[in-house]
Amino acid sequence: MSAPESSAPLAPATGEDAGGLSRKGLSVGAVGLIGAVVIGISCIAPAYTLTAALGPTVSEVGVQVPAIILVGFIPMLLVAFGYRELNRRMPDSGTSFTWATRAFGPWIGWMAGWGLVAATIIVLSNLAGIAVDFLFLLIAQISNTPEIAELAAIPWLNVLVCLAFVAAATFVSYRDMQTTQRLQYVLVGFQVVVLVLFAGAAIIATTSGNAWDATTFDLSWFNPFAIGSFSAFAAGVSLSIFIFWGWDVTLTMNEETKDPDRTPGRAATITVVTIVVLYLLLAIALLMYAGTGEGEYGLGNPDIQDNVFFALAGPILGPLAFLVSLAVLTSSAASLQSTFVSPARTLLAMGHYGALPPAFARVSPRFFTPGYATLVSAVVAAGFYAIMRFVSENVLWDTITTLGMMICFYYGITAFACVWYFRKQWFDSVRNVFFTLVFPLMGGVILAVIFVTTLIDSMDPDYGSGSSVFGLGLVFVLGVTIILVGVVIMVWQAVRRPAFFRGETLSLDAPAGARRR
C-alpha cells in the first residue's frame, strides 16, 4: 500500500541513479501511478487532438479512420515497450536524450533530445492556438453572438490571447508537481466525460434516424488495405501518430514518481490503451452520424475539417453543444500546462550533463522544478506560434503534420537505442527477444518509413494546407528547418561545451548485460 501524496514538494534526491546517472534535484516520490496516467492523458489531450486531426485524417483515408487509428497505435505501443525497458535500466528525466546518448553516443543523443524538445515546442504553440479559437467559440455560443467567434481570426488579438494562455500554463508548470496533478484530475475528468457523452449522443441519434448522413457501421472500416495509396496511408499514419503523442511524458517524470523503475512504464501503457479505446469510440460515432461526404456536416467538408467537434456539437447535442467547446478548451489548456513537463525536464537533463548551457540545469529551490527550462520553453513556444500565425493562415494543420514528422524522428531514434543498448541481452530469455529486440525494432522501422515518406511527399506545395515557401511545401520547410537548426545549435554547443561531446559528462554506456570491471 503506497503512502499518501504530500501536498508539499518533497526534498530532492542526490547521488546517482541506476546506470550511474546523476539526479538533478527534482522532488522525489511526488507522482503515483494514477497521477502519472492522468498527466499522460492530459498531455495527449484527446478532445483537442481528435478535433484537430479527425478532419485531415478523413481527407486522407475516408472511412478507414478506425483502421488508421489502430495502425498508428501499433508503433506507439511497440515503442512504448522499448521506452519501458530503457526506463527500467536508466530512469532519467532526459529520456530519449539520455538513452540515445548511452546507446549511440553524444551526437545522436543530442539530436534525439532536440527532436523531443522541438516536437513539444511545436505542440505547445498548437495547443495555445486551439485554446484561443475555442475560447472565442465558447463565448460566442454562450452569448449567442456568432460574430465573437470571428475575433479569433484577428492576428494580433489571437497572438495576444495566446500569450496569456502560455503565461498561465507556465505559472502552474513552474510550481510543484502536486499543483499540476490536482489541476489535471479536474480538467482531464471533465473532458473524458464530455467526449463519452458526445459519442453516445451521436450513436443514439444515428440509430434513431436523426443523423445528418447516417452511415451503417462496417467492419471494413478497420481494414488498412482498403486505403487508396501508400502516400495516403503514410499521411494518415502520421496524423494518427500525432493523436497518440504525449504518453512519454509519464517517463520524463521518472525521477519524480514513486517506484521509478516500474511506475512510469506502467503509466505509459495504461495511458496509450485508454486513449485508443476513446478515439475508436469517437471516430466510429462521428462516422456513423456524419459520414465522409462534403455536405454541411460531412466529415469530408473542407470548411469544417480543422474543427469537426465544433461543427457537429450543435446538431448532436443541441443546447448542450457548449460543453464540447468547453471540453476542447479545457483539453487544450490542460495539455498546454502538462506538456511543459516534458521539454523542461529534457532541457534540464541536457543542461545537467553539459549538453546545453548550465542555466538549463537550474532547479527551483522552492518547488524543485526545472524553472529556467520551463521559462525558456514558454518563450520559444509563444514566439514560434506568433511567427507561424502570420506566415500561414492554416497554422494548425501545417504544424500538426510537421509534429508527426518530428515525433517519428525522435521516437524512432529511441526505439533503435533500445534495440542496440540491450544487444547483449536479446536472447537471454523469450521475453527479451520480444521486448528488447522485436517490438522496438518493428516500431522504429515503421516510424522511420513514415518519416521518410512524409518528408518526401511534403515537398509538394499542395501537401498539407497548400502553403508553400519558395515552391516547397510549408510542412517540408518546417521539418527540415527544425532539424537543421538543431544541427547548427549542436555544433555550436560542441565548440562551447566539448566535455559532453567527448563523453566526459555522460558516457557511452557498456551494453546492458555486459560485465564491467
Side-chain angles (χ1 to χ4, degrees):
M1 187 171 181
S2 60
E5 295 180 0
S6 170
S7 59
L10 302 177
T14 57
E16 293 191 347
D17 268 326
L21 304 175
S22 53
R23 293 189 181 275
K24 304 159 191 69
L26 299 169
S27 57
V28 178
V31 183
L33 178 62
I34 295 176
V37 171
V38 168
I39 292 174
I41 293 174
S42 170
C43 196
I44 293 174
Y48 145 71
T49 51
L50 205 57
T51 193
L54 185 58
T57 305
V58 168
S59 71
E60 297 288 351
V61 301
V63 294
Q64 257 53 57
V65 172
I68 215 69
I69 287 176
L70 287 178
V71 170
F73 166 71
I74 290 171
M76 290 296 98
L77 184 62
L78 296 175
V79 171
F81 289 138
Y83 267 72
R84 185 181 64 182
E85 297 304 307
L86 287 166
N87 183 74
R88 281 179 173 173
R89 180 68 175 82
M90 300 177 285
D92 188 89
S93 68
T95 59
S96 295
F97 158 73
T98 303
W99 300 334
T101 299
R102 299 303 287 269
F104 298 129
W107 297 92
I108 295 179
W110 202 99
M111 286 305 298
W114 172 257
L116 186 154
V117 171
T120 48
I121 293 299
I122 292 171
V123 84
L124 281 170
S125 65
N126 201 288
L127 286 164
I130 285 282
V132 172
D133 288 344
F134 272 89
L135 174 63
F136 286 110
L137 288 172
L138 179 62
I139 295 173
Q141 285 178 311
I142 294 176
S143 65
N144 198 27
T145 310
E147 295 79 14
I148 292 178
E150 299 174 5
L151 295 176
I154 302 175
W156 69 266
L157 181 60
N158 185 294
V159 171
L160 186 64
V161 177
C162 171
L163 294 179
F165 271 112
V166 172
T170 305
F171 173 77
V172 177
S173 298
Y174 193 92
R175 296 178 62 85
D176 57 90
M177 287 300 295
Q178 282 79 12
T179 302
T180 294
Q181 287 183 84
R182 286 193 292 268
L183 176 65
Q184 296 301 335
Y185 284 142
V186 176
L187 299 181
V188 170
F190 174 75
Q191 69 171 297
V192 170
V193 168
V194 171
L195 290 178
V196 172
L197 172 66
F198 188 38
I203 293 173
I204 291 173
T206 302
T207 55
S208 61
N210 296 319
W212 159 257
D213 182 14
T215 305
T216 303
F217 170 74
D218 196 315
L219 288 175
S220 66
W221 294 357
F222 291 89
N223 178 16
F225 298 103
I227 298 171
S229 68
F230 184 76
S231 291
F233 175 83
V237 171
S238 182
L239 289 163
S240 180
I241 287 172
F242 157 72
I243 68 177
F244 287 109
W245 178 82
W247 56 266
D248 55 322
V249 70
T250 62
L251 294 150
T252 61
M253 298 184 296
N254 51 25
E255 294 187 36
E256 299 158 275
T257 56
K258 300 172 182 177
D259 192 4
D261 292 345
R262 292 182 292 180
T263 295
R266 290 175 177 175
T269 302
I270 294 172
T271 299
V272 172
V273 172
T274 301
I275 288 297
V276 75
V277 172
L278 184 61
Y279 282 163
L280 286 174
L281 174 64
L282 281 161
I284 291 170
L286 296 185
L287 282 170
M288 290 174 62
Y289 179 88
T292 59
E294 297 186 4
E296 183 179 4
Y297 298 118
L299 297 180
N301 181 357
D303 294 332
I304 71 168
Q305 282 188 338
D306 62 344
N307 196 342
V308 295
F309 281 11
F310 177 73
L312 296 177
I316 293 175
L317 291 178
L320 297 179
F322 74 94
L323 288 176
V324 175
S325 294
L326 183 58
V328 178
L329 173 60
T330 299
S331 177
S332 55
S335 185
L336 178 63
Q337 187 272 311
S338 61
T339 301
F340 271 110
V341 171
S342 191
R345 279 148 183 80
T346 299
L347 289 170
L348 171 72
M350 295 179 78
H352 179 79
Y353 293 117
L356 285 175
F360 285 95
R362 295 177 189 166
V363 172
S364 166
R366 179 181 178 186
F367 299 115
F368 306 129
T369 57
Y372 182 83
T374 300
L375 294 175
V376 170
S377 298
V379 171
V380 176
F384 179 80
Y385 179 80
I387 293 171
M388 284 297 299
R389 187 64 183 79
F390 287 98
V391 169
S392 171
E393 295 181 359
N394 300 292
V395 58
L396 297 179
W397 188 321
D398 288 326
T399 54
I400 284 171
T401 309
T402 305
L403 174 62
M405 291 172 57
M406 296 310 301
I407 293 169
C408 290
F409 177 76
Y410 86 86
Y411 273 8
I413 291 176
T414 310
F416 292 133
C418 176
V419 174
W420 187 245
Y421 183 80
F422 290 103
R423 62 191 182 277
K424 298 291 186 180
Q425 290 183 318
W426 286 348
F427 303 110
D428 284 359
S429 66
V430 173
R431 180 190 182 281
N432 278 8
V433 169
F434 286 99
F435 288 99
T436 66
L437 174 59
V438 176
F439 290 160
L441 180 61
M442 290 174 58
V445 169
I446 292 171
L447 293 174
V449 170
I450 298 302
F451 173 78
V452 173
T453 302
T454 305
L455 192 66
I456 294 172
D457 290 345
S458 63
M459 295 177 68
D460 188 339
D462 293 330
Y463 191 88
S465 69
S467 301
S468 63
V469 178
F470 303 120
L472 294 171
L474 181 59
V475 172
F476 173 82
V477 173
L478 280 173
V480 172
T481 299
I482 289 170
I483 292 174
L484 291 179
V485 167
V487 172
V488 170
I489 296 176
M490 178 176 63
V491 172
W492 175 242
Q493 293 305 305
V495 173
R496 295 292 305 274
R497 266 163 279 278
F500 168 77
F501 293 91
R502 289 197 297 256
E504 297 173 5
T505 60
L506 184 60
S507 63
L508 185 69
D509 198 19
R515 293 189 177 276
R516 291 178 232 175
R517 296 186 182 275

